[in-house]
Amino acid sequence: MTGTTGTTAPTTNAGLYEAARTVIPGGVNSPVRAFGSVGGTPVAMVRAAGPYLTDVEGREYVDLVCSWGPMLLGHNHPAVVEAVHRAVDAGLSFGTSTPDEARLATLIASRVPVDRVRMVSTGTEATMTALRLARGATGRNLVVKFAGCYHGHSDGLLAAAGSGVATQSLPGSAGVTEAQAAETLVLPYNDTAALEEVFAARGADVAAVITEAAPCNMGVVAPAEGFNRFLREITGRHGALLVWDEVLTGFRASDTGYWGLSGRPEGWTPDLWTFGKVIGGGMPTAAVAGRTEVMDLLAPLGPVYQAGTLSGNPVAMACGLATLGNATADVYATIDRRSRQLEGLLVEALTTAGVDHSIQRAGTLFSVAFGTSARGVHDYADAQAQEAFRYGPFFHAMLEHGVYLPPSVFEAWFVSAAHDDAAMERVAAALPHAARAAAAARPAAG
Ligand code: PLP
């Protein structure tokens, strides 16, 4: 195959990885893709359809990553592809307002109680903007986050930031100044006493508490009964904002995101929300949203600056609109059913192979943790204490049998509405091999 540079492109996963490593740091454009915690060579995908991915060597896999969440309807859903084609035909980017950006904002606001939505390109930008807004609105500096929650890679939010960082075994990140780190207080998740203590000591300085609506980046960790309600209450009591990160759970955990399972039944709303993944349907789009008086502090109306050359890009808006517009009650029912079926198959295989484990579930999202049946996983310390060494062999056995899982135990498993009986049968056939591999795994010496 001859590329535009005149060089011959490798056609194997190993060859592509080797070539990528000569021009891309670590050969990947996002660290978890490097297979750092599971070992082996990253797989380069070239095609996707429904629940399947195909790699550069022509091998097909059932996809249980779904691009880390966005592919709610499955890959290349006809309505989404048609909408994107139409948008591409009309022009890739105008750098102006376009009709679809207000349509997508309106669709989001019809599902969750927000007045204003500002489109950005990544979840990282969304949480960064939300915290700038919270600081601008309150005139305070401190932000409270929870260990194991990931909110993107902006400075100050990388302390104890879950999956990617945990996978790389880094304590946080070099390049984040002490001053920035000092303005982020990191508390154990699900720990109301730690929050009471911080607010008692420094409540007048806290601009915001940021939380994943249900953490999915230390594996899935369900919020303890009443924990999110407590966050709403204590932030309100101290004049701080509650920033509710639904980049991953938004319009996936339910039709109204995790809020539909937490805030709505309990009758409360956060101050600021962040969305990503599903609202872009596989194109780079995310959003920060909230009530008018906070959101209108954003430029051009207010003093909090935020901008983006490709924000509200017309192709991305068309993709997001078609994805969210087709995310019907049936879609959510299918995803719920398939994720529970998958959990059942997983539990059966692990139990048969005698592998101690717990299933961590929040709405339609779940993950597995090894050696944790006695207590489950309730915070980052629990997640890190598990028998993570069992996941590499488990992952590779699944890969060998045609199932693509997240290459880290600290990630959720994702299904789509396109996961049908045939795809589930392939997963069911692969799982016993993987469970036996997990059972045979031993910790690395030393
Ligand atoms: N917030 C959460 C909860 C996430 O899971 C992620 C990414 O996985 C982000 C923010 C960052 O989003 P992005 O990767 O689009 O910057």
Side-chain angles (χ1 to χ4, degrees):
M1 184 194 306
T2 303
T4 50
T5 58
T7 56
T8 302
T11 52
T12 61
N13 291 307
L16 272 177
Y17 184 49
E18 277 315 306
R21 289 209 300 181
T22 65
V23 284
I24 298 173
V28 293
N29 281 314
S30 201
V32 176
R33 295 178 200 168
F35 280 24
S37 73
V38 292
T41 306
V43 185
M45 302 301 178
V46 294
R47 250 189 334 278
Y52 300 111
L53 291 171
T54 305
D55 75 9
V56 68
E57 297 173 10
R59 294 194 68 214
E60 191 179 74
Y61 306 84
V62 177
D63 181 16
L64 295 179
V65 180
C66 289
S67 194
W68 304 96
M71 312 317 294
L72 190 77
L73 307 178
H75 294 285
N76 279 2
H77 185 281
V80 177
V81 170
E82 202 212 314
V84 168
H85 279 170
R86 240 185 296 120
V88 167
D89 286 345
L92 294 182
S93 181
F94 309 124
T96 66
S97 298
T98 63
D100 276 355
E101 59 192 358
R103 281 193 199 117
L104 182 54
T106 304
L107 184 53
I108 290 170
S110 72
R111 291 213 181 180
V112 293
V114 296
D115 304 324
R116 299 277 187 271
V117 181
R118 169 64 59 89
M119 298 297 174
V120 295
S121 297
T122 65
T124 295
E125 280 178 87
T127 56
M128 182 184 80
T129 302
L131 294 186
R132 188 177 301 148
L133 259 175
R135 287 178 166 129
T138 59
R140 303 172 179 183
N141 289 343
L142 286 184
V143 166
V144 175
K145 84 173 279 286
F146 298 106
C149 283
Y150 179 65
H151 304 288
H153 60 94
S154 65
D155 293 344
L157 279 177
L158 274 178
S163 54
V165 176
T167 297
Q168 303 299 306
S169 305
L170 300 175
S173 172
V176 175
T177 67
E178 278 172 27
Q180 283 160 329
E183 288 184 340
T184 309
L185 305 180
V186 184
L187 300 184
Y189 190 68
N190 272 331
D191 189 338
T192 52
L195 275 156
E196 288 283 15
E197 215 172 291
V198 158
F199 272 98
R202 306 188 68 183
D205 301 325
V206 176
V209 173
I210 183 167
T211 187
E212 285 188 61
C216 294
N217 286 289
M218 47 179 150
V220 174
V221 174
E225 168 59 31
F227 183 68
N228 281 326
R229 189 169 61 242
F230 174 78
L231 295 183
R232 171 65 293 179
E233 187 276 318
I234 196 165
T235 47
R237 184 160 26 109
H238 290 270
L241 302 194
L242 177 60
V243 178
W244 182 248
D245 184 354
E246 291 235 38
V247 167
L248 193 152
T249 52
F251 312 116
R252 174 170 272 281
S254 83
D255 59 344
T256 48
Y258 201 77
W259 176 78
L261 309 174
S262 181
R264 185 169 65 174
E266 293 171 355
W268 57 264
T269 53
D271 297 296
L272 285 170
W273 313 56
T274 53
F275 300 109
K277 301 192 189 260
V278 167
I279 69 161
M283 296 291 291
T285 283
V288 55
R291 57 175 191 279
T292 308
E293 60 272 28
V294 181
M295 289 297 293
D296 280 359
L297 292 173
L298 281 176
L301 293 178
V304 178
Y305 196 70
Q306 184 279 329
T309 300
L310 295 179
S311 297
N313 170 271
V315 183
M317 294 297 99
C319 188
L321 263 177
T323 299
L324 205 50
N326 282 287
T328 58
D330 274 356
V331 163
Y332 290 103
T334 302
I335 287 175
D336 192 44
R337 182 163 58 84
R338 292 302 186 188
S339 88
R340 287 180 199 282
Q341 184 185 1
L342 189 55
E343 175 183 333
L345 293 169
L346 174 60
V347 169
E348 190 186 326
L350 290 176
T351 306
T352 304
V355 180
D356 183 279
H357 67 279
S358 62
I359 300 296
Q360 310 295 131
R361 180 171 278 281
T364 58
L365 287 149
F366 77 93
S367 65
V368 63
F370 294 110
T372 48
S373 68
R375 165 178 152 79
V377 177
H378 306 282
D379 60 22
Y380 196 34
D382 291 342
Q384 287 184 308
Q386 71 175 287
E387 294 172 354
F389 63 88
R390 297 197 187 279
Y391 191 73
F394 180 89
F395 168 87
H396 278 290
M398 292 297 276
L399 195 66
E400 202 175 297
H401 289 88
V403 180
Y404 191 71
L405 284 174
S408 162
V409 75
F410 300 109
E411 304 284 357
W413 295 23
F414 296 93
V415 294
S416 77
H419 282 72
D420 54 9
D421 286 341
M424 298 306 281
E425 277 162 26
R426 284 205 209 179
V427 178
L431 275 168
H433 300 279
R436 284 195 291 274
R442 296 288 171 267

